[in-house]
């Protein structure tokens, strides 16, 4: 029976391998400190946080999220550790809430590896606090217990760490927040909050997934493999991951065709809730994204558990000197490895089952996608007509994990864009980048930007989206040719310092005027010559051609532009801007970084896996982009724009 704790109450823990699940109303930083018999944290090495997420017996998330899973193995903690304190803190400098009183009360659950709740605690009564000690696991007379703490700190993470006796608390708190800001910059923004009413259940071969649904979507990992992954033909199965949820009004999903006797029902496109087919597909793709993240997390955690168990069994066996010689030691090693292999094989069976379901779903979803969500090789583009309404989202490329590289998840971002995009033209650590020379990378980066600009032009209603280009040295004439030849740019690509200054001044003025009109509630007072449609600024080869004033204006557009319809698409190598030092760090963090070649740098918002991003490409020899741009030109002409 679950113990529902109140502040100050404790409860005996029946096991030592645990998960601590956190659910919050907005993204929070989750970490843990280790304390000695007096509760003192002896140094930074006794703190698990996003910048240093693993300690012996303890693992936390690497990024801020609304849901977390912390893995705890109390037996693996150092003998000098008598207390584990779970801490939560609001991220600083990322535009979110600054005190817990403005968010939903955080909820913390201590569970076993099978998801069974042992104790829960809802942190009510918080107000001005921006950091809180949620609960603590402590050792008393050889037994471990959990205590609900709920101690908040208005001065934030630094005050909380100092209260636990840590020297240099302010410096460490600042470094933790900096690490969180960096991780948020590489994280794919999650969709809007979702409700549990949209969970879908379908029929397929296989048993129900044994993992129970937690109170909220988790963001870090360990799950023990199920005990029996053997499929049961014809049995019911929650076709989705048990934690899949969908934001949606109560629109029923498409009817799933009934399965024939002995056969599994086939997945269908749009099997999610939503007001329209586009919304259902959007929710379905995000559900697939989360399913794959959680399935891979469960598998990786199970493999880690199997390795850890083998190491512990070997340590126990070989701690007896009599087992170090002769056949006893060899038998112990063989038995430990056999158990490890068995656990790993069972985990792989479960993963393969989940991957097969997702692959089948992807096979029917991909051909059904509308143009805004579809790859350039989808036939939908050949019959594309410029829409009269803005779609929900836009595809920026594909994501995949090493567990099955052929299973690609479309990377969808909401429209209008909520943050700018940075196409990194530098040499990254990926194998694809290492095999490509610098000039080729720069050209590929600009071609990628042009594909994104073309897609945006194609999915916006005629005349409601304009594209401006800054190409200071004129080095992108080749990649820009399709946009220039189609006549879809707001003006010729701006070159030289004067061209850069002119375009930036024009867009800065637009942001200023629209902001003033919005604040004054006087939209009808805008100048008649002001284009109120969405604007995209494509910048090539930044910071070449930019003086200090131009850099300041660009930062202003990146920060203030999206809220009033001005968006940034930068092609840049960060090393080229290294002379500016930390001045540009906020700019890079504000942009979603993508690459012109495959690169594993994006993180999901649930677990924080490093996903391989695949940029969009057109089929070899295809002129689909030129055909689409011609349709945009024709639609504008027909609309008199």
């Amino acid at each position: 029976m679950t113990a529902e704790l109140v502040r100050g109450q404790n409860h005996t823990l029946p096991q030592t391998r645990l998960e601590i699940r956190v659910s919050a109303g907005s993204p929070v930083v989750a970490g843990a400190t280790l304390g000695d018999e007096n509760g003192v944290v002896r140094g930074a090495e006794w703190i698990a946080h996003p910048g240093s997420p693993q300690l012996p017996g303890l693992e936390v998330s690497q990024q801020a999220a609304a849901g977390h899973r912390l893995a705890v193995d109390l037996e693996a903690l150092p003998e000098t550790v008598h207390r584990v304190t779970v801490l939560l803190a609001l991220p600083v400098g990322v535009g979110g809430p600054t005190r817990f009183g403005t968010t939903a009360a955080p909820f913390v659950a201590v569970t076993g590896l099978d998801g069974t709740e042992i104790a829960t605690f809802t942190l009510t009564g918080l107000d001005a606090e921006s950091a809180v000690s949620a609960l603590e696991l402590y050792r008393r007379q050889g037994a471990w217990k959990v205590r609900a703490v709920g101690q908040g700190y208005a001065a934030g993470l630094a005050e909380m760490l100092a209260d636990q006796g840590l020297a240099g608390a302010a410096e460490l708190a600042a470094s933790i927040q900096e690490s969180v800001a960096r991780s948020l910059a590489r994280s794919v923004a999650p969709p809007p909050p979702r409700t549990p009413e949209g969970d879908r259940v379908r029929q397929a071969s296989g048993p129900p997934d044994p993992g129970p649904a937690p109170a909220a979507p988790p963001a870090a990992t360990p799950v023990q493999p199920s005990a029996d992954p053997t499929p049961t033909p014809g049995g019911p199965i929650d076709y989705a991951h048990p934690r899949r949820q969908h934001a949606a009004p109560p629109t029923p999903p498409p009817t799933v065709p009934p399965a024939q006797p002995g056969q599994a029902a086939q997945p269908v496109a749009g099997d999610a809730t939503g007001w329209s087919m586009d919304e259902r597909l959007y929710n379905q793709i995000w559900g697939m994204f989360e399913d794959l993240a959680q399935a891979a997390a469960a598998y990786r955690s199970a493999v880690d558990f199997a390795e850890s168990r083998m190491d512990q069994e070997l340590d126990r066996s070989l701690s007896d000197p009599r087992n170090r010689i002769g056949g006893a030691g060899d038998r112990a090693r063989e038995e430990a490895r056999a158990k490890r292999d068995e656990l790993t094989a069972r985990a792989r069976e479960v993963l393969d089952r989940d991957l097969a379901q997702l692959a089948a779903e992807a096979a029917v979803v991909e051909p059904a996608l509308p143009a805004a969500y579809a790859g350039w090789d989808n036939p939908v583009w050949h019959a594309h007509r410029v829409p009269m309404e803005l779609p929900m989202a836009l595809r920026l490329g594909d994501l995949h994990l090493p567990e099955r590289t052929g299973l690609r998840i479309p990377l969808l971002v909401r429209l209008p864009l909520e943050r700018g995009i940075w196409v990194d033209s530098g040499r990254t650590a990926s194998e694809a980048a290492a095999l490509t020379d610098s000039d080729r990378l720069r050209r590929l980066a600009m071609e990628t930007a042009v594909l994104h600009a073309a897609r945006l032009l194609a999915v916006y209603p005629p005349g409601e989206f304009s594209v401006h280009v800054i190409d200071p040295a004129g080095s992108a004439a080749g990649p820009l040719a399709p946009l220039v030849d189609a006549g879809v740019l707001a003006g010729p690509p701006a070159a030289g310092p004067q061209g850069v200054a002119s375009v930036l001044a024009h867009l800065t003025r637009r942001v200023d005027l629209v902001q003033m009109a919005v604040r004054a509630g006087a939209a009808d007072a805008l100048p008649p010559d002001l284009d109120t449609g969405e604007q995209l600024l494509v910048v090539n080869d930044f910071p070449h051609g930019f003086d200090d004033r131009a850099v300041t204006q660009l930062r202003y557009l990146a920060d203030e532009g999206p809220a009033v319809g001005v968006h940034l698409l930068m092609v840049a190598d960060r090393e080229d801007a290294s002379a500016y030092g930390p001045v540009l760090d906020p700019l890079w963090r504000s942009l979603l970084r993508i690459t012109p070649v495959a690169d594993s740098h994006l993180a999901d918002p649930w677990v924080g896996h490093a996903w391989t991003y695949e940029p969009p490409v057109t089929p070899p020899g295809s002129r689909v982009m030129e055909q689409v741009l011609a349709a945009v030109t024709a639609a504008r002409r027909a609309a008199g724009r």
Side-chain angles (χ1 to χ4, degrees), residues 4 10 20 22 28 87 96 113 130 156 168 199 218 246 251 297 320 394 400 409 439 443 540 546 553 563 576 605 629:
E4 298 181 0
N10 61 40
I20 299 173
V22 178
V28 297
L87 58 89
L113 293 183
S130 59
D199 285 354
H246 303 280
T251 305
D320 186 346
L394 187 82
H400 64 82
I409 304 295
D439 291 341
R443 182 177 179 88
N540 179 47
F546 281 72
Q553 289 177 312
D576 292 343
L629 291 175

Side-chain angles (χ1 to χ4, degrees), residues 13 34 47 92 103 199-200 282 379 403 456 470 531 589:
L13 294 171
L34 305 180
I47 302 176
V92 174
T103 69
D199 285 354
R200 59 202 176 114
Y282 173 83
E403 280 75 12
L456 283 163
I470 290 178
D531 182 1
R589 285 199 295 263

Side-chain angles (χ1 to χ4, degrees), residues 57-123:
L58 185 62
E59 182 175 359
V60 303
S61 305
Q62 299 184 47
Q63 62 185 42
H68 293 270
R69 281 187 181 182
L70 284 65
V72 181
D73 184 351
L74 297 174
E75 290 184 351
L77 295 173
E79 292 184 1
T80 51
V81 172
H82 291 256
R83 185 179 302 177
V84 179
T85 302
V86 176
L87 58 89
L88 305 177
L90 294 171
V92 174
V94 297
T98 58
R99 58 190 185 92
F100 278 109
T102 60
T103 69
F107 173 83
V108 184
V110 180
T111 77
L113 293 183
D114 60 356
T116 302
E117 289 185 348
I118 299 170
T120 64
F121 176 40
T122 301
L123 285 78

Side-chain angles (χ1 to χ4, degrees), residues 412-475:
L412 300 182
V413 295
R414 291 295 292 263
L415 291 178
L417 295 173
E418 298 173 349
R419 63 192 292 197
I421 300 171
W422 164 30
V423 185
D424 190 349
S425 59
R427 189 175 298 282
T428 63
S430 72
E431 180 180 357
L435 297 175
T436 309
D437 65 69
S438 298
D439 291 341
R440 176 65 175 158
L441 277 175
R442 292 178 186 274
R443 182 177 179 88
L444 287 174
M446 195 60 199
E447 290 175 352
T448 300
V450 168
L451 282 172
H452 291 314
R455 183 182 288 261
L456 283 163
L457 286 164
V459 303
Y460 266 82
E464 294 188 13
F465 192 81
S466 299
V467 177
H468 308 261
V469 175
I470 290 178
D471 184 20
S475 59

Side-chain angles (χ1 to χ4, degrees), residues 312-400:
Q312 291 177 9
E313 290 180 352
L314 287 174
D315 289 343
R316 284 196 297 267
S317 175
L318 299 179
S319 62
D320 186 346
R322 293 171 296 180
N323 291 336
R324 297 176 188 174
I325 57 175
D330 293 337
R331 286 193 299 272
R333 294 185 186 91
E334 290 176 1
E335 291 174 0
R337 288 168 182 155
K339 290 180 182 178
R340 186 269 316 270
D341 293 343
E342 179 187 1
L343 286 174
T344 301
R346 285 162 50 187
R348 186 72 210 192
E349 287 182 20
V350 174
L351 175 67
D352 287 342
R353 183 196 66 192
D354 292 343
L355 293 179
Q357 292 173 350
L358 286 169
E361 188 171 12
V364 298
V365 168
E366 188 70 41
L369 296 178
Y373 303 175
W376 285 106
D377 57 349
N378 193 311
V380 70
W381 284 108
H382 296 287
H384 178 66
R385 296 292 182 269
V386 178
M388 299 308 294
E389 293 184 357
L390 182 66
M392 282 188 63
L394 187 82
R395 186 173 186 158
L396 291 184
D398 296 332
L399 298 171
H400 64 82

